[in-house]
Amino acid sequence: MRLAIGTTATLWLLGLCAAAGQTPADRPPMSEEVFKNIQVLKGIPVDQFMGTMGFFSSSLGLNCTDCHSYDSGGDWAKYADDTPLKRTARRMVTMMQQINEANFGGRQMVTCNTCHRGVSNPSVMPSIDQLYGTPPPEEPGDPIAQAPGQPTAESIIDKYIAAVGGAQRVAALTSFTGSGTYRGYDDSEETALEIAANSNGQYFTAAHPASGAHTTAFDGRAAWYAAPSSDRPFPVIALTGQEMDGIRLQAQLFFPAQIKAAMRNWRTGFATEINDRRMNVVQGNLGTAGAVATLCFDAQTGLLVRMLRYGPSPVGRIVTRVDYSDYRDVGNTGVRMPFKWTMSWLDGRNVYALTSVQANARIDAAKFAKPVIK
């Protein structure tokens, strides 16, 4: 079974044992300061380290205990133990870096996924079924240049703004709170969800499974993800780089008036299809170097259907996708917003569904502060 990460400890099963080191308050801790026995993936923030673990999982079709010991599920310390697959992974990372440096000027052209494609042992024989079968759809996320004959990104976004209520109405939406349900990839049932957001980028979500709250908070300058210590050995993690940029973008997309300023260097690609519907594709750059986001709008309705973003890691792109649906009116504002969205990444999937939303609510700034795990 592939690694399934949502609201459970599975997110950290690829982690190595938490260490007790302290770091300066003005920067997030690095991987080797939090985990033991880090030999290759040093000098990267903890959230990027965990994203890298997800890249391994998705590329090889393995879950946590495939690489770590099977008795590590009840003891975080055992994730620092060496295993044959972990030693192999270190050699493979070094090999890929050498290949890219020697052949591609250091550009990341060869990754785990290049050869493995979701299997632990790369196949050396072509597949006849794959050759003559229907290829799987490609994610519309690769870097694009402005395609000839396509509408401008500004006109596509303007069509979306018109579809959800018009420029004047969406500009008047400055905050909202909401409640609903949440379900992680490996959760047996839905749990309670709460959300709050301001148009200045502040964002908060909290899911409430039986083990305790799983919280994402962004105060406009810093972002965190928190979960109970029973679910992860490092309960509060600072989001950095492309992950923080991604949370900011996800918050801004709930306020259509903010979209044009959310990214830079906008361009339009060739149209694609999602679920047999034609999509207009626009793309822009996020704040972090190398971080890119792609928005897919239904060509007929104008509605935002998908956001896909990625950023760099030492072994390949860390990809996150959000699919939006169930657009409804928000109170008496005349604005429509998606009441359902599915967030998928390389090692997990969460489904969020709102049942009620209060527009232009007053929200205590403390809601967006760094979470405290009790």
Side-chain angles (χ1 to χ4, degrees):
M1 183 181 72
R2 284 178 180 266
L3 178 64
I5 293 180
T7 63
T8 69
T10 318
L11 177 60
W12 289 88
L13 293 180
L14 278 170
L16 307 180
C17 174
Q22 298 295 316
T23 58
D26 60 347
R27 69 167 176 83
M30 298 294 107
S31 58
E32 66 273 20
E33 297 167 334
V34 174
F35 305 115
K36 293 180 180 178
N37 198 18
I38 303 299
Q39 299 183 26
V40 175
L41 299 174
K42 296 181 177 181
I44 59 175
V46 173
D47 63 330
Q48 189 180 111
F49 177 85
M50 295 312 302
T52 301
M53 297 298 101
F55 189 89
F56 289 153
S57 174
S58 61
S59 296
L60 278 72
L62 299 176
N63 65 24
C64 307
T65 54
D66 288 324
C67 288
H68 297 275
S69 59
Y70 279 92
D71 60 350
S72 58
D75 186 352
W76 299 122
K78 292 186 179 296
Y79 288 97
D81 294 348
D82 260 339
T83 66
L85 279 180
K86 284 169 64 175
R87 290 190 287 270
T88 298
R90 293 183 187 118
R91 294 196 301 271
M92 294 296 100
V93 170
T94 302
M95 179 190 73
M96 289 186 301
Q97 292 171 343
Q98 292 172 342
I99 291 173
N100 287 323
E101 188 64 36
N103 298 277
F104 303 106
R107 290 179 297 147
Q108 203 172 60
M109 302 298 291
V110 174
T111 72
C112 310
N113 191 63
T114 304
C115 296
H116 285 272
R117 298 300 178 97
V119 295
S120 57
N121 296 309
S123 176
V124 297
M125 186 173 73
S127 167
I128 297 299
D129 284 342
Q130 186 177 36
L131 178 63
Y132 292 102
T134 302
E138 293 185 2
E139 291 280 15
D142 273 341
I144 59 176
Q146 176 65 42
Q150 300 301 309
T152 65
E154 182 177 16
S155 68
I156 293 171
I157 295 171
D158 283 340
K159 183 175 180 179
Y160 174 56
I161 291 173
V164 295
Q168 183 174 353
R169 288 174 175 168
V170 300
L173 180 65
T174 59
S175 69
F176 72 89
T177 59
S179 60
T181 62
Y182 164 94
R183 188 166 188 166
Y185 186 89
D186 53 354
D187 289 347
S188 59
E189 58 185 12
E190 295 176 340
T191 58
L193 167 71
E194 55 179 316
I195 183 172
N198 282 323
S199 60
N200 62 5
Q202 293 176 322
Y203 185 67
F204 166 87
T205 64
H208 297 278
S211 60
H214 287 242
T215 303
T216 299
F218 179 51
D219 67 5
R221 296 173 298 175
W224 306 270
Y225 182 77
S229 56
S230 60
D231 289 354
R232 52 170 60 197
F234 194 61
V236 180
I237 180 174
L239 302 181
T240 67
Q242 69 261 21
E243 289 304 310
M244 186 170 70
D245 288 341
I247 291 297
R248 179 187 289 109
L249 177 62
Q250 286 172 223
Q252 290 172 314
L253 291 178
F254 281 107
F255 301 92
Q258 307 295 320
I259 294 179
K260 292 180 184 178
M263 292 188 282
R264 65 183 189 279
N265 189 27
W266 286 99
R267 57 266 186 196
T268 307
F270 289 108
T272 189
E273 286 191 358
I274 296 176
N275 298 327
D276 297 323
R277 293 187 66 86
R278 183 179 177 84
M279 298 288 150
N280 289 321
V281 178
V282 300
Q283 189 178 86
N285 296 90
L286 295 171
T288 300
V292 173
T294 304
L295 306 180
C296 301
F297 297 90
D298 188 298
Q300 182 176 356
T301 67
L303 296 177
L304 175 65
V305 173
R306 176 173 294 174
M307 182 274 286
L308 185 140
R309 60 177 173 86
Y310 68 82
S313 84
V315 297
R317 295 177 184 172
I318 299 176
V319 183
T320 299
R321 190 177 92 185
V322 183
D323 292 288
Y324 298 96
S325 61
D326 192 17
Y327 279 78
R328 302 186 199 176
D329 292 335
V330 180
N332 59 0
T333 62
V335 176
R336 299 167 67 198
M337 65 179 287
F339 270 52
K340 182 177 181 180
W341 63 100
T342 300
M343 183 175 174
S344 310
W345 62 104
L346 295 179
D347 41 20
R349 178 181 297 153
N350 298 335
V351 179
Y352 304 82
L354 296 176
T355 54
S356 66
V357 174
Q358 181 179 355
N360 296 325
R362 291 179 60 86
I363 306 172
D364 187 346
K367 179 75 76 174
F368 308 107
K370 183 178 180 179
V372 177
I373 299 298
K374 300 179 181 179

